[in-house]
Structures are given as C-alpha cells and as structure tokens.
Amino acid sequence: MFTGIIESIGSIRALTPKGGDVRVYVETGKLDLADVKLGDSIAVNGVCLTAVELPGDGFWADVSRETLDCTAFHQLKAGSRVNLEKALTPTTRLGGHLVSGHVDGVGEVVSRQENARAIQFRIRAPKELAKYIAHKGSITVDGTSLTVNVVDGAEFELTIVPHTLAETIMADYHAGRKVNLEVDLLARYLERLLLGDKAAEPASGGITESFLAENGFLKS
C-alpha cells in the first residue's frame, strides 16, 4: 500500500527484454534506499513493482506483460522521469489517500492551462472509470494522490500547485500524454458491496443504471 505522496523523482536507466516481458532498472535519485530490502515494493508512476536487485543507486524490477498491457509503462524509455514512492509503514503519515499501486486504466492529458501560480490539467479517463471519479474526491495520477476539482463526463480537472509540480513529473505533462490512473479504493469496494448477492453471480461486472433502478436507487 502507498499514500500517493511522491518521495522522489527517479529515472529509467535501462529496459531489458526478458522472456517475453521486461526487466527495468530505476535510478531512484534522492529516495532513501537504506531500509529497502529485496522483495520490497516501490511504486513507479503508480505501478507497484518488486525490487529484485539493489545495486546501490536504484533497483531492478520485473515488469509483467499484464502490466505492460494495462498501464502507460510501455511508453517509458531510458531517460524517462518517473514518480517514486516506497510502500507505507505503520508509522507513515497518510498525507494522501490509500493507494494500492494497481492501475485501473490509462488516461490522457487533454489540456494544460496556467491558473495563477498553479497549472490546471484536464484529463480524460476511460469511460468505464468515470463512475468512480467524484467532485472533490481522490484520484491517483502516475502515483500522485490528487483532488478532483471538476468532473465533466469522463473528463476531470486538477489544479496543481507549484510544490507538486516541482516534486513530481507533472511539470512534464502536455496534451496527449498518457497517464496511469487509480481510482479511490473506497469507491471500488462500495460498488461491490452495493451489488449484494448479485456479486456472486458469474460475470457480475458492476453497477449499471438498470441495477440501480431495480433496487430503488433511481427515482422515476
């Protein structure tokens, strides 16, 4: 588990094909690796990876085909900057929100505009994630815990203050860039709970408008 508070900006030093997937070497910059052991988890742009080698100034991790297919990880190359966060501990300050490091989908930056000293980003999420994104709710973008300021269908807006721009890779964002999205854990579990007994049925995908109507959540 993570908090979505980025601890360091690192960079991809190497991407090595291995047996159909990829082994990646992440240089970790100012991230303190003194307490990191082999097998520990580190979030890279919001993707939970396991350290399999610790050469000193970074770590090697294996990136599965599933991760390559379901995240924006495939667009990274040697030299790409990445957000880094070590897994939380019982004494970690929960400055963001609970983040699993399991990416729900890939979004796209639609626009970038100055807003006083901040930058306002508009991001388009996959349509299937729109129901989990709420005004003033939390969302994780490339591992960064952020507050949604505006929701418009599958698009949402974020206002990023100078500190966040300096401490994450969001300063690099431009229209068209792909980003990893993880929705709030509570929203996902709430959906499952609302399904009740239907959750045990095969292929019970999720809550639909007809399901809400049948169970009295929608007024005629």
Side-chain angles (χ1 to χ4, degrees):
M1 297 294 291
F2 305 90
T3 68
I5 303 300
I6 302 306
E7 297 178 274
S8 175
I9 295 177
S11 63
I12 302 297
R13 179 182 289 185
L15 290 159
T16 306
K18 188 164 185 175
D21 49 38
V22 171
R23 178 162 285 195
V24 60
Y25 182 29
V26 183
E27 196 171 58
T28 50
K30 68 178 183 180
L31 190 70
D32 183 7
L33 297 178
D35 60 346
V36 175
K37 306 181 297 297
L38 292 180
D40 283 355
S41 297
I42 298 176
V44 179
N45 278 2
V47 180
C48 179
L49 297 181
T50 301
V52 296
E53 293 183 43
L54 293 165
D57 62 348
F59 68 98
W60 284 95
D62 291 317
V63 183
S64 70
R65 174 56 57 187
E66 170 75 9
T67 298
L68 292 171
D69 289 343
C70 297
T71 72
F73 217 94
H74 64 274
Q75 70 182 2
L76 298 178
K77 57 188 177 184
S80 294
R81 301 202 314 159
V82 289
N83 290 326
L84 300 175
E85 182 191 355
K86 293 185 292 187
L88 64 83
T89 68
T91 58
T92 302
R93 289 182 183 273
L94 190 59
H97 69 286
L98 288 175
V99 175
S100 70
H102 302 154
V103 174
D104 292 306
V106 176
E108 180 179 344
V109 177
V110 176
S111 65
R112 170 182 176 146
Q113 293 182 324
E114 292 186 5
N115 183 352
R117 294 188 305 118
I119 300 293
Q120 193 156 314
F121 292 100
R122 190 175 182 92
I123 295 176
R124 181 182 300 116
K127 290 182 178 180
E128 61 271 19
L129 296 186
K131 59 187 174 182
Y132 302 112
I133 302 171
H135 178 236
K136 297 304 178 183
S138 297
I139 193 164
T140 307
V141 180
D142 278 343
T144 306
S145 172
L146 299 167
T147 300
V148 176
N149 289 327
V150 174
V151 179
D152 180 13
E155 295 185 1
F156 61 94
E157 292 184 5
L158 307 165
T159 301
I160 309 301
V161 298
H163 177 79
T164 304
L165 286 171
E167 296 297 324
T168 72
I169 63 170
M170 294 194 77
D172 301 340
Y173 287 3
H174 53 79
R177 178 169 178 137
K178 304 296 185 181
V179 293
N180 292 323
L181 301 178
E182 181 184 332
V183 298
D184 189 17
L185 282 170
L186 294 178
R188 288 191 300 188
Y189 283 118
L190 180 59
E191 177 189 39
R192 192 71 174 167
L193 284 169
L194 286 173
L195 283 172
D197 292 341
K198 288 184 178 294
E201 297 177 5
S204 58
I207 294 176
T208 62
E209 188 170 334
S210 61
F211 172 86
L212 292 172
E214 289 170 7
N215 289 274
F217 290 102
L218 292 180
K219 294 180 180 179
S220 58

